[in-house]
Amino acid sequence: MSNMTTVEPFGDGFVSALCPELILFTGMLLLILVPNLGQGTFRIPGTQIRLPWLLGGTRFKFTSDPRLPAWIASITLGGAFAKVLYTFSQGLERVSIVSESGKELLLVNGFSRIFELIFFGALALAAFSSMNRLQVNGIGAKVSEQELYNNRRQADFYILMVTCALGMSVVALAQDLFVLFIGLELASFSTYVLVAFLKESKVGVESGMKYFIVGSVASGVGLYGLSMLYLWAGSLQFSVLAATFAESGTTALPLIGIGFVLVGFGFKVSAAPFHFAAPDAYSGATSPVAGVLATASKAMGMIGLVRMLLIVAAPESSDGSAVWLVCLGAMAAITMTWGNLAALGSDNPKRMLAYSSVAHAGYMLAALTAVGAWNWDAAVSGDASAAAVAVMTALLFHLVVLVAFKLGAFLVLSLLESEGGASRLSSLGGLAKREPLLAVAMFIFMISLAGVPPMAGFLSKLLVIMGIVRVAVGGMGAEIADGGIYALGDMHWVWWLALLMVINSAISVFYYLRVVVVMFFDEPEQGREGPLPNGWQVRVAILACVLTTILVGVAGDSLIRLCEMAAQSLNYNW
Amino acid sequence: MQDWISMPLVGFPLVASIVLLAFVSNTNESMRKRLSNPIRMASLIFSLLLLAITTGMFFQYFGNVSWEGISFNNYEFAHRYTWIESLGIHWSVGLDALSFPMVWLTTFLLPVTIIATWNEKNGAVYFPILLAMGGALIGVFVALDLFMFYVFWELTLIPMFFLILMWGGKDRKYASQKFFIYTFTASVVMLLGLITLYFFQDSANPLEYAGSMTGRTFDIPTITQHALMENSNGNWYLGANIQKVLFAMLMLGFLVKLPAVPFHTWLPDAHVQAPTGGSMLLAGVMLKMGAYGMFRLPISLFPHALQYFQFVLLAIGMVSLVWGAIVCLGQTNLKKMVAYSSVSHMGVILIGIATMQPMGWAAALFMMFAHGIISPMLFAVCGAFKHHYHSMEIGAMRGMAKHSPWLATSMMFAWMASLGLPLLAGFVAELMMLIALWYFLAAEGLSVFWMVGPALVLAVTAAYYLWSMQRTIFEGGDDTQPPASLGNGPVPDIANPEKLAMIILAFFTIAFGVMPWIALDMMHDWTIQIFEGLVLPILGDFSGGA
């Protein structure tokens, strides 16, 4: 482990530590400024002298191009992604950003970096492929009012994408619950607007409204919990909260407070019973945005859960069981089963993917539960912390690869949407005849979601199950080798979560295969026989997703190691 | 030594198939028709190359192999490369007398299937998928790493799913999904069993090939070695309770694949709807994955549990045998009848395993092999029916001997081989199974009543096969009365490629029936080895149980 360096805001090393965020900030400013650059002048009062001041007025040809914001956003997000990737290759450092009064505000380490990778990767892909989804019309020609309106609002969409990324990375970095909430709200409000962005369509507005109301209620409950925690501990620093919890955690006030905070994050990861808005939001939003909700936004919620459950309400290291263990285990079981059963009956591919994303949230919660039991077996000395790291690694790995195949699936739907709707399963009909390669890509995403080897989804599911089983088995292997006698019931009960998880994977195959069958078997809908509309950006993004899905599935070792490094940096007690 | 397995046998067909599929993916319909012939030729040549390699292995052209001399848990042509180091996953391949016959069988059936379904529609896509199927199947049999084994185990589902979905019969949509979901469900339970087994390894003792993150290994030879040491000390490897549970979890995956009653219901649907080529590979090799897996994992690792569940397996085997045969009697669909006869024959394998006699295990191994040659012929005949008579109903075709002598002869031969006519391959296996069962009953002091089942089945099998032959080949249909399903069209016989495939399959059925020792010697040797290593040490507590 590298040593920690402490940096004050705008002090030495501040820029290099927060370089990705500063890139985003610059990009955001550019997005606001550049489309407004024009031949505007400023008349010095009382004179006839006009000084060119470049803002406003007749726009330049270059800055009036409606495609410009999309490119700025894509390059910004892509650049931030590349920068994070580069820091990984440079070896990770641990930089703590401390306020003048000595409070730790942000912490840059492997854990936050891997989440930045997820956020920027997902949003860069989404922004890049939105170029095709949000059409730009009639460049250089006369355009109608509606088309002009569409062109004008391009900038808004991409600004929101970038602010969303900025908020998410603040969540990843935050070491203070309050800072975390600011980041969470910045990202949340961006997504509320993004979901409702197509306000001409009824579905878009309705889903945006639902998502906003449920989301803000969840946030409100979370904030209320926050205030209770402040009342109890007198601080919102994670380190202070954790220390206070270790002393007097099992009293009513902090437990209720933590419970309330978890509602806010539970909504973000769409864990049952806070998942009701998710299917509506996903089906109403444009597909790239829905993809962001299912990947980046979910990862953001997961950070909150991890920080609250594993850092603040940390499991006791003496017997390892956390206070929330049974509660979270039950939630995991309900979430994965509910998600899968609901997805079975859904004819809308986007709703289906939404419910599948609920199911995946259940798998991740099961992994979190296993971490909560990491040290249950008193006989285990050295292996237990390694087990906790293993489960955390699995969780991070799952979140990373989810970006490839879940967002990929949404991008395929996005192509169909720009042709004329993808709200029924039959709109995928005959895709294999219309565009064989696209159908194969969708097939790869589907079986990866189902967890069929050799795709990345299989490896991630395998890692999660392996992590859970590892915790459940504990040190029994060594005991048995020394002549100990154990039965199945001696394992920790989280093993049954693993069993439930594999059964759920089997159920999920039903609805994933249905998509495949429709693509390869059914005839196309009337009037949709030909190839899909052009859009090289989406296709490039889909290709990137397919390649990642296959490559990580076949050779995932380096990514596993990366995630292991990140998992280790989360908690030094492990 | 040169690695003759990884790239030549597994990688090559998979890569070739992907390249060919990528090549045709962006072509239009007419182009695809034109490409069909060269792609078919290429696929045939590729599959013949595979056959040449495995045959060369058998005749010891590559390396210094003696298939009979390989002791238990030792492998020829073994190679191990690091794959996912942090989890202890290796790309590990090797062959022994258990897997080699299956690999040879796969490479043998691949060109035969291509020839038998020479005129399949949309050939530019069909033949590459067959190649991929072959590569995945070989991967299952050569894998010596649990992870790799599972990956290929599931990978076989994908090409088969598409074979059924895109070239199958009327209800192919339903059948393909049922096939996939059924076997996938069983496999994920097996996967959980494998992972639990993985973590029950003792990480305190430094294991060979262990992962840096987990301290355990997926390496099958290493695990088998540990299990062998524990078991032969008289202990249950991992303890009684856990061994039983893991045995049951692994067996579930393999029993569904085999399939055994009551997990067999996916098979008739898949077979009836699958295209001929799919059926041939499904019955010929894919079902054997189940039996192969049983030998490779649960039996090798958990002999005590095998003994504990011996009578359960025997009962399942008996029920499969009898039930499959009885259901056959009621079928009017020719292909469905053949599918249920497969269930019955897989029961023979299970009984052979459950006897825990070396001869019973050798019988199971030989049944895997013999059924792998005979059942593709059965399905080739069914396919020819469908293709030329446009019907699978047994009553719909009459007097075939007059109309289509080639088809009638092939059918008669295949049917006879399947019902176990002496001097044909199936007979050897069934006879060995009966003798082993007899031994077993005598050793256990059990009533001869148990023999009634198999004996009855021999009669029932003869009954449904003879009945169906009588209805289709001989009865009715003089020259003025062609089969009704053809309307007034000409009465066809099978095409030349189909004749060739039939002749090849018939030839090998006779060859392995008359000279079973070609394959049986190595199988028998291997079973003696595994028996001495595994079962003899635990026979001490035979009466006392655990």
Side-chain angles (χ1 to χ4, degrees):
Chain A
M1 278 302 136
S2 52
N3 293 325
M4 182 152 96
T5 33
T6 313
V7 175
E8 285 194 6
F10 305 105
D12 261 357
F14 179 77
V15 173
S16 72
L18 291 184
C19 188
E21 283 72 26
L22 294 175
I23 292 177
L24 288 184
F25 191 70
T26 320
M28 195 174 76
L29 291 182
L30 283 178
L31 272 171
I32 296 170
L33 281 178
V34 170
N36 286 319
L37 291 183
Q39 290 164 336
T41 50
F42 174 71
R43 189 169 67 93
I44 299 172
T47 66
Q48 289 296 321
I49 306 166
R50 288 170 190 274
L51 295 173
W53 116 278
L54 296 180
L55 272 178
T58 314
R59 304 294 191 274
F60 300 119
K61 191 160 188 281
F62 170 68
T63 53
S64 66
D65 189 336
R67 288 169 300 186
L68 192 63
W71 279 105
I72 296 177
S74 304
I75 291 168
T76 305
L77 289 161
F81 178 78
K83 172 68 191 163
V84 178
L85 214 54
Y86 178 72
T87 55
F88 271 117
S89 71
Q90 291 296 298
L92 286 170
E93 45 190 330
R94 197 168 128 82
V95 184
S96 173
I97 292 162
V98 181
S99 73
E100 278 164 30
S101 54
K103 283 186 179 146
E104 191 180 29
L105 298 177
L106 304 175
L107 176 65
V108 182
N109 61 5
F111 184 77
S112 59
R113 283 282 188 235
I114 202 124
F115 275 100
E116 287 175 353
L117 207 61
I118 296 170
F119 300 148
F120 304 156
L123 279 156
L125 283 174
F128 191 57
S129 41
S130 289
M131 286 187 208
N132 295 120
R133 181 66 188 88
L134 294 181
Q135 284 294 326
V136 169
N137 309 91
I139 297 138
K142 264 207 158 308
V143 288
S144 71
E145 197 177 333
Q146 179 60 41
E147 283 170 339
L148 191 66
Y149 172 69
N150 273 339
N151 292 354
R152 282 277 165 83
R153 64 175 175 178
Q154 292 279 327
D156 309 351
F157 187 83
Y158 294 103
I159 291 171
L160 287 168
M161 282 266 185
V162 175
T163 51
C164 186
L166 201 57
M168 284 171 174
S169 65
V170 169
V171 173
L173 295 166
Q175 285 300 300
D176 186 295
L177 203 45
F178 190 71
V179 177
L180 191 144
F181 242 90
I182 291 175
L184 189 77
E185 288 307 296
L186 181 58
S188 298
F189 274 93
S190 311
T191 51
Y192 298 148
V193 182
L194 284 174
V195 166
F197 198 77
L198 289 181
K199 62 184 177 190
E200 300 82 16
S201 83
K202 273 186 184 162
V203 198
V205 177
E206 186 200 328
S207 64
M209 212 49 209
K210 262 186 193 164
Y211 192 60
F212 170 68
I213 291 172
V214 179
S216 47
V217 169
S219 293
V221 173
L223 264 176
Y224 187 49
L226 206 78
S227 65
M228 288 166 92
L229 286 180
Y230 188 74
L231 183 68
W232 163 68
S235 166
L236 286 174
Q237 295 263 267
F238 283 129
S239 50
V240 178
L241 285 173
T244 322
F245 190 87
E247 279 169 28
S248 61
T250 44
T251 49
L253 185 64
L255 289 185
I256 294 172
I258 288 170
F260 279 2
V261 173
L262 290 187
V263 172
F265 298 123
F267 168 76
K268 282 283 161 225
V269 298
S270 50
F274 313 116
H275 69 282
F276 290 108
D280 290 316
Y282 288 32
S283 57
T286 59
S287 287
V289 172
V292 168
L293 290 185
T295 54
S297 181
K298 174 163 294 208
M300 176 177 72
M302 202 45 85
I303 299 176
L305 288 181
V306 167
R307 296 256 195 241
M308 285 312 291
L309 295 177
L310 299 183
I311 304 291
V312 175
E316 305 272 321
S317 48
S318 59
D319 70 340
S321 310
V323 277
W324 39 265
L325 197 64
V326 178
C327 177
L328 197 72
M331 201 157 138
I334 293 169
T335 304
M336 62 173 100
T337 316
W338 193 336
N340 273 318
L341 293 182
L344 280 180
S346 169
D347 182 54
N348 179 343
K350 281 161 90 178
R351 288 186 87 88
M352 184 275 277
L353 282 174
Y355 280 120
S356 108
S357 142
V358 173
H360 277 267
Y363 305 150
M364 289 187 267
L365 289 183
L368 264 188
T369 315
V371 190
W374 64 288
N375 204 9
W376 65 278
D377 188 355
V380 185
S381 49
D383 204 32
S385 57
V389 171
V391 191
M392 206 55 225
T393 307
L395 187 64
L396 296 178
F397 187 87
H398 189 86
L399 284 169
V400 173
V401 294
L402 201 59
V403 174
F405 48 83
K406 180 128 254 167
L407 186 60
F410 275 112
L411 291 183
V412 174
L413 293 182
S414 150
L415 256 183
L416 282 163
E417 250 175 16
S418 46
E419 182 204 38
S423 57
R424 303 190 65 79
L425 205 52
S426 53
S427 35
L428 281 157
L431 195 61
K433 286 201 192 88
R434 304 172 65 194
E435 294 227 8
L437 288 181
L438 210 57
V440 168
M442 190 67 171
F443 168 70
I444 287 171
F445 297 142
M446 285 299 124
I447 62 170
S448 183
L449 281 167
V452 179
M455 303 304 163
F458 166 67
L459 200 56
S460 74
K461 215 171 259 183
L462 179 86
L463 277 171
V464 171
I465 296 176
M466 277 176 73
I468 297 174
V469 171
R470 182 174 182 168
V471 168
V473 171
M476 273 194 256
E479 298 273 310
I480 287 170
D482 292 341
I485 293 172
Y486 288 91
L488 187 72
D490 293 331
M491 281 194 283
H492 195 277
W493 57 261
V494 288
W495 188 85
W496 298 99
L497 281 180
L499 184 65
L500 191 66
M501 201 174 141
V502 298
I503 292 170
N504 265 301
S505 305
I507 297 175
S508 70
V509 175
F510 276 94
Y511 54 87
Y512 294 128
L513 270 192
R514 202 164 52 198
V515 172
V516 178
V517 169
V518 168
M519 286 191 306
F520 283 86
F521 185 90
D522 287 0
E523 291 300 316
E525 280 183 331
Q526 277 223 310
R528 297 180 86 166
E529 282 88 5
L532 291 165
N534 282 331
W536 65 271
Q537 290 96 335
V538 189
R539 282 159 207 265
V540 167
I542 291 172
L543 182 69
C545 291
V546 169
L547 289 181
T548 318
T549 307
I550 295 176
L551 282 181
V552 172
V554 173
D557 200 30
S558 41
L559 185 56
I560 293 176
R561 280 163 195 283
L562 202 68
C563 294
E564 190 190 7
M565 213 156 63
Q568 274 165 346
S569 69
L570 173 67
N571 188 338
Y572 285 94
N573 296 330
W574 289 353
Chain B
M1 195 169 57
Q2 174 82 22
D3 185 350
W4 279 106
I5 299 177
S6 305
M7 230 13 234
L9 282 183
V10 184
F12 171 62
L14 288 175
V15 172
S17 140
I18 291 171
V19 169
L20 289 177
L21 283 174
F23 188 61
V24 294
S25 64
N26 260 354
T27 51
N28 56 26
E29 206 99 329
S30 64
M31 187 64 183
R32 217 172 280 178
K33 274 221 175 73
R34 264 185 293 161
L35 277 174
S36 159
N37 199 38
I39 283 183
R40 178 170 56 193
M41 280 313 290
S43 306
L44 181 63
I45 291 167
F46 291 161
S47 60
L48 285 173
L49 278 177
L50 298 183
L51 180 61
I53 294 173
T54 51
T55 311
M57 282 175 167
F58 178 74
F59 288 113
Q60 306 164 18
Y61 287 132
F62 311 113
N64 192 16
V65 217
S66 158
W67 292 107
E68 272 110 82
I70 307 169
S71 55
F72 175 54
N73 206 21
N74 277 301
Y75 306 90
E76 288 292 334
F77 298 103
H79 280 268
R80 186 185 283 110
Y81 311 93
T82 305
W83 188 355
I84 300 181
E85 208 257 325
S86 46
L87 304 178
I89 293 168
H90 296 81
W91 174 278
S92 173
V93 293
L95 289 169
D96 60 3
L98 170 63
S99 50
F100 178 69
M102 287 295 108
V103 172
W104 186 84
L105 186 66
T106 315
T107 56
F108 163 73
L109 280 182
L110 210 52
V112 173
T113 309
I114 291 174
I115 293 170
T117 56
W118 194 249
N119 295 318
E120 191 64 76
K121 61 177 190 242
N122 201 358
V125 185
Y126 171 80
F127 292 104
I129 290 185
L130 279 188
L131 269 187
M133 188 73 217
L137 285 168
I138 295 172
V140 172
F141 294 125
V142 299
L144 288 181
D145 182 280
L146 291 177
F147 179 85
M148 185 184 163
F149 174 77
Y150 186 80
V151 166
F152 279 103
W153 177 272
E154 296 289 18
L155 198 59
T156 56
L157 295 183
I158 296 169
M160 187 53 81
F161 172 75
F162 280 110
L163 279 180
I164 300 177
L165 182 68
M166 292 168 79
W167 286 272
K170 205 163 88 259
D171 287 331
R172 56 191 191 268
K173 211 168 153 179
Y174 168 77
S176 58
Q177 292 183 68
K178 183 171 180 180
F179 158 77
F180 197 108
I181 292 163
Y182 223 104
T183 48
F184 185 80
T185 309
S187 324
V188 287
V189 175
M190 179 180 92
L191 176 67
L192 184 59
L194 292 178
I195 292 173
T196 312
L197 164 68
Y198 176 86
F199 281 108
F200 268 111
Q201 296 172 61
D202 177 15
S203 66
N205 283 331
L207 286 161
E208 260 181 303
Y209 311 113
S212 60
M213 217 173 98
T214 54
R216 278 93 163 175
T217 181
F218 276 111
D219 194 57
I220 292 177
T222 309
I223 299 174
T224 311
Q225 191 56 39
H226 275 258
L228 189 64
M229 264 161 52
E230 272 295 301
N231 286 322
S232 52
N233 288 342
N235 303 325
W236 291 58
Y237 176 56
L238 302 183
N241 181 297
I242 287 162
Q243 184 170 123
K244 283 181 214 161
V245 171
L246 290 182
F247 182 84
M249 287 177 82
L250 298 191
M251 278 308 256
L252 180 71
F254 298 134
L255 282 175
V256 171
K257 201 73 170 196
L258 192 59
V261 176
F263 309 117
H264 66 289
T265 54
W266 62 271
L267 183 78
D269 284 312
H271 265 316
V272 171
Q273 300 304 329
T276 310
S279 285
M280 287 171 76
L281 286 180
L282 181 62
V285 197
M286 222 171 155
L287 303 188
K288 278 63 177 194
M289 280 162 55
Y292 167 81
M294 286 182 200
F295 276 109
R296 180 64 81 214
L297 296 172
I299 295 178
S300 297
L301 300 177
F302 310 127
H304 290 89
L306 173 66
Q307 198 187 26
Y308 180 83
F309 287 112
Q310 192 174 16
F311 282 91
V312 178
L313 289 182
L314 189 66
I316 295 178
M318 285 282 182
V319 171
S320 299
L321 183 71
V322 177
W323 179 255
I326 289 176
V327 172
C328 276
L329 277 178
Q331 299 306 319
T332 56
N333 183 314
L334 200 63
K335 218 172 175 184
K336 211 161 195 171
M337 188 188 90
V338 173
Y340 275 110
S341 86
S342 280
V343 176
S344 182
H345 282 113
M346 293 302 109
V348 172
I349 293 181
L350 212 50
I351 294 175
I353 289 174
T355 57
M356 288 185 80
Q357 301 278 338
M359 188 179 265
W361 288 3
L365 291 188
F366 197 70
M367 191 64 183
M368 285 157 68
F369 189 68
H371 187 258
I373 296 177
I374 295 169
S375 66
M377 190 167 177
L378 296 173
F379 283 107
V381 167
C382 291
F385 258 130
K386 178 82 188 159
H387 195 72
H388 300 293
Y389 284 79
H390 311 300
S391 171
M392 294 301 292
E393 292 301 306
I394 291 175
M397 28 204 169
R398 293 294 172 88
M400 238 172 48
K402 287 209 186 77
H403 302 303
S404 336
W406 269 93
L407 182 54
T409 315
S410 314
M411 178 173 174
M412 185 140 148
F413 183 87
W415 263 226
M416 288 299 171
S418 186
L419 66 79
L421 200 69
L423 288 186
L424 299 181
F427 172 72
V428 182
E430 285 184 21
L431 185 68
M432 283 168 68
M433 185 275 288
L434 286 177
I435 296 173
L437 184 60
W438 197 272
Y439 270 146
F440 165 72
L441 295 177
E444 292 277 292
L446 287 166
S447 140
V448 189
F449 169 76
W450 284 93
M451 293 299 287
V452 172
L456 189 76
V457 164
L458 286 182
V460 173
T461 309
Y464 65 75
Y465 274 138
L466 291 176
W467 174 77
S468 62
M469 278 200 295
Q470 185 256 333
R471 298 261 286 166
T472 48
I473 300 181
F474 301 115
E475 187 187 81
D478 50 42
D479 293 342
T480 57
Q481 262 189 311
S485 59
L486 285 178
N488 286 325
V491 182
D493 203 348
I494 53 179
N496 285 334
E498 286 170 295
K499 286 178 193 167
L500 180 61
M502 300 289 184
I503 290 172
I504 296 171
L505 287 167
F507 173 78
F508 279 94
T509 311
I510 297 173
F512 285 106
V514 178
M515 299 178 288
W517 59 83
I518 303 173
L520 193 54
D521 272 1
M522 66 171 93
M523 294 172 182
H524 185 255
D525 228 63
W526 188 81
T527 49
I528 295 285
Q529 301 262 12
I530 185 175
F531 194 77
E532 284 178 350
L534 281 179
V535 183
L536 283 186
I538 67 169
L539 282 181
D541 59 349
F542 197 79
S543 52

